[in-house]
Amino acid sequence: KAGVTQTPRYLIKTRGQQVTLSCSPISGHRSVSWYQQTPGQGLQFLFEYFSETQRNKGNFPGRFSGRQFSNSRSEMNVSTLELGDSALYLCASSRQDNYGYTFGSGTRLTVV
Amino acid sequence: KQEVTQIPAALSVPEGENLVLNCSFTDSAIYNLQWFRQDPGKGLTSLLLIQSSQREQTSGRLNASLDKSSGRSTLYIAASQPGDSATYLCAVTLYGNNRLAFGKGNQVVVIP
């Protein structure tokens, strides 16, 4: 059984650029969540999607956005990158509400 | 707002000793609590999920307890091994809120 797949694994971008990260959940999982992990702030919730609808959003600026497709795959986009956006971005999927989450290996984004 | 605290931030134990990791949370109206393990630069691996109606969960050398009334969970790792060296993260989900609130983690080093 395939796990949660995140691509790419590593990214280096320049300030001001935009970036798109991809997440393929476990087959049959309809809920996909995104988290940002930094040494200073730890793991912070970005947003959660279920059946192509954003159900929850964390306290991040509008430069952070996401979407979910009909096959449950999800993408998140960060526009006008800032140095502080450098982080490990983790995606998690769940079979049903509050049933426990499975995480991917993450995308390491470095903004220079 | 749910606050999750894990103390101590870091600890070292000799191989063979039992590990005891503590997690506390401020809002007892949780749906479940999940313990994760994270190796450096990697994603999160789910260890144990405890539903709010449960008092504990066990998997091999791991045992996690949950006391909602006091807002505490404890993860026990029996007979620690060098391969147990990692960061252990505690996360809770509130009722009707499909997001995880994480502690900052316990960084564990098991000394051979």
Side-chain angles (χ1 to χ4, degrees), chain A:
Chain A
K1 177 176 167 180
V4 178
T5 303
Q6 291 188 246
T7 56
R9 290 296 309 278
Y10 303 93
L11 269 176
I12 300 176
K13 290 287 188 179
T14 304
R15 269 185 306 175
Q17 286 187 313
Q18 75 167 23
V19 67
T20 299
L21 312 182
S22 179
C23 172
S24 294
I26 291 173
S27 178
H29 285 199
R30 295 166 65 190
S31 170
V32 175
S33 303
W34 289 88
Y35 292 81
Q36 180 195 66
Q37 186 176 32
T38 58
Q41 299 297 318
L43 277 147
Q44 293 185 286
F45 172 78
L46 281 157
F47 26 67
E48 185 248 354
Y49 288 87
F50 185 88
S51 293
E52 302 178 66
T53 301
Q54 185 182 88
R55 293 199 299 186
N56 281 286
K57 190 176 192 306
N59 188 26
F60 278 82
R63 299 185 297 107
F64 291 81
S65 62
R67 59 179 175 169
Q68 186 180 33
F69 302 95
S70 59
N71 62 358
S72 293
R73 190 177 71 86
S74 177
E75 289 181 346
M76 68 164 280
N77 183 277
V78 188
S79 62
T80 320
L81 283 166
E82 301 178 358
L83 295 178
D85 297 333
S86 295
L88 180 65
Y89 289 88
L90 292 162
C91 167
S93 73
S94 179
R95 189 167 75 190
Q96 63 189 59
D97 283 359
N98 297 321
Y99 200 77
Y101 295 85
T102 302
F103 279 78
S105 298
T107 294
R108 170 74 63 184
L109 172 65
T110 303
V111 183
V112 298

